């Protein structure tokens, strides 16, 4: 289990280790083109494929996509049916491709309402790709942040525990749906809305938030790079001051220089001795 950002400060990274995305705007993309909403969802699946490839190319280790929220059941029955069909088709047709390129697939959320066929396909996909390590792709389906917290609390409190012993963050965190992944470094929401919509409420505590007006079907490598560029410009303090962040960065740089000198890999410094 990964350590929470409220317990320890993660090392700075040039590229986010974990990216979480709310894929919003499929319906508006279709409506702007006088197409049925299903056309937007189908084009959105193509954007998923491109984003997965782009994340692999950029060295991102974890990608979590919000495909269907626990509140999406409120949508018109016809659209819900289409989304279910697309989800099932993706599990049937895409998993072998993911496995071939070393991607691990996890599906998080309450899959029971989708039926045993979909749940079985998800379990089979997870088993097939379990040993892959190139990228962990998590699909959140019938998922909600509050549902996640409640199911974690229920699991935690069912475990035997000495009388009078309280619970801590780690007790709960290991029961969360994303307990196998570090907390997201970067959260992206497409489509122009600026809210997290009940997504990963626990995990986004110190995540950098990025909102873009780009509709999900139009999201591509360039759009991902723009989000990463914004991430790289942020000062991630995790409760510290800017001065502490700068001092820590200087200390890490000195440690890297010392290790390089020890290994004999540093470049000659012709500017004279370094002080301080």
């Amino acid at each position: 289990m990964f350590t929470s950002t409220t317990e320890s400060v993660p090392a700075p990274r040039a590229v986010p280790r974990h990216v979480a995305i709310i894929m919003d705007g499929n319906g508006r993309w279709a409506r702007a083109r006088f197409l049925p909403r299903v056309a937007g969802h189908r084009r959105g699946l193509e954007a998923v494929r491109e984003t997965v490839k782009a994340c692999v190319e950029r060295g991102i280790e974890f990608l979590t996509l919000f495909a269907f929220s626990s509140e999406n059941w409120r949508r018109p029955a016809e659209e819900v049916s289409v989304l279910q069909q697309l989800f099932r088709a993706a599990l049937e047709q895409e998993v072998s491709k993911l496995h071939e390129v070393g991607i691990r697939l996890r599906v998080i959320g309450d899959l029971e309402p989708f039926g045993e066929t979909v749940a079985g396909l998800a379990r089979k996909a997870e088993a097939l790709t379990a040993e892959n390590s190139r990228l962990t792709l998590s699909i959140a389906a019938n998922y909600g942040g509050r549902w996640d917290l409640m199911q974690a609390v229920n699991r935690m409190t069912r475990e035997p525990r000495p009388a009078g012993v309280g619970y801590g963050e780690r007790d709960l965190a290991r029961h969360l749906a994303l307990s196998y992944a570090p907390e997201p470094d970067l959260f992206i929401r497409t489509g122009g809305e600026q809210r997290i919509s009940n997504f990963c409420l626990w995990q986004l505590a110190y995540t950098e938030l990025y909102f873009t007006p780009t509709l999900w079907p139009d999201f591509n490598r360039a759009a991902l790079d723009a989000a990463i560029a914004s991430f790289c410009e942020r000062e991630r303090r995790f409760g510290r001051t800017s001065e502490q962040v700068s001092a820590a960065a200087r200390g890490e740089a000195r440690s890297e220089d010392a290790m390089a000198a020890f290994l004999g890999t540093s470049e000659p410094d012709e500017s004279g001795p370094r002080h301080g």
Side-chain angles (χ1 to χ4, degrees):
M1 190 179 75
F2 293 91
T3 303
S4 170
T5 51
T6 58
E7 295 183 319
S8 65
V9 176
R13 299 178 62 87
V15 174
R17 186 179 191 185
H18 184 176
V19 175
I21 305 178
I22 291 182
M23 306 175 292
D24 197 8
N26 290 344
R28 281 172 285 162
W29 182 92
R31 186 167 62 248
R33 290 159 178 77
F34 303 99
L35 298 171
R37 290 179 66 89
V38 62
H41 294 308
R42 293 189 188 281
R43 179 62 185 86
L45 183 55
E46 295 179 24
V48 169
R49 295 189 188 102
E50 184 169 0
T51 300
V52 170
K53 292 177 183 177
C55 286
V56 170
E57 293 167 358
R58 285 148 182 76
I60 294 167
E61 299 175 30
F62 297 84
L63 173 63
T64 300
L65 301 177
F66 204 6
F68 190 89
S69 78
S70 51
E71 289 74 50
N72 283 155
W73 295 104
R74 301 169 181 170
R75 294 191 174 188
E78 182 180 357
E79 182 174 353
V80 170
S81 177
V82 168
L83 289 170
Q84 288 180 285
Q85 292 170 22
L86 288 175
F87 184 33
R88 175 174 175 172
L91 289 172
E92 292 173 333
Q93 300 169 16
E94 304 292 331
V95 173
S96 60
K97 301 174 187 176
L98 296 175
H99 183 53
E100 287 175 4
V101 295
I103 294 175
R104 178 173 65 153
L105 179 67
R106 298 293 298 265
V107 182
I108 61 172
D110 180 9
L111 296 185
E112 184 176 351
F114 289 116
E116 182 55 36
T117 299
V118 169
L121 287 169
R123 289 192 295 267
K124 183 179 178 180
E126 291 182 337
L128 175 66
T129 63
E131 301 303 318
N132 296 339
S133 58
R134 195 172 186 184
L135 170 76
T136 296
L137 171 62
S138 300
I139 303 297
N142 195 27
Y143 172 90
R146 291 184 178 182
W147 165 87
D148 195 8
L149 287 169
M150 288 308 305
Q151 65 86 29
V153 167
N154 289 332
R155 290 184 181 183
M156 179 182 70
T157 54
R158 282 198 296 264
E159 293 182 336
R161 195 169 190 83
V165 177
Y167 296 100
E169 279 194 24
R170 292 189 181 187
D171 298 312
L172 179 67
R174 63 193 181 90
H175 293 292
L176 293 169
L178 279 171
S179 61
Y180 56 85
E183 294 170 1
D185 300 293
L186 173 62
F187 163 90
I188 300 171
R189 180 168 186 152
T190 64
E193 304 292 350
Q194 298 186 19
R195 54 180 178 269
I196 60 174
S197 295
N198 197 22
F199 183 43
C200 293
L201 298 181
W202 178 281
Q203 296 89 345
L204 295 181
Y206 273 103
T207 300
E208 299 299 323
L209 308 182
Y210 178 84
F211 302 98
T212 172
T214 301
L215 301 177
W216 177 248
D218 291 326
F219 195 83
N220 53 25
R221 284 171 167 79
L224 177 63
D225 286 341
I228 294 174
S230 175
F231 169 83
C232 292
E233 293 172 355
R234 314 282 180 93
E235 181 184 67
R236 306 193 75 196
R237 294 193 296 273
F238 300 100
R240 302 169 295 170
T241 65
S242 294
E243 291 75 16
Q244 287 176 300
V245 174
S246 298
R250 290 194 297 270
E252 290 165 3
R254 285 195 296 268
S255 296
E256 291 176 0
D257 288 347
M259 179 59 71
F262 176 74
L263 296 174
T265 58
S266 59
E267 293 294 328
D269 188 351
E270 300 177 356
S271 62
R274 301 173 66 178
H275 301 286

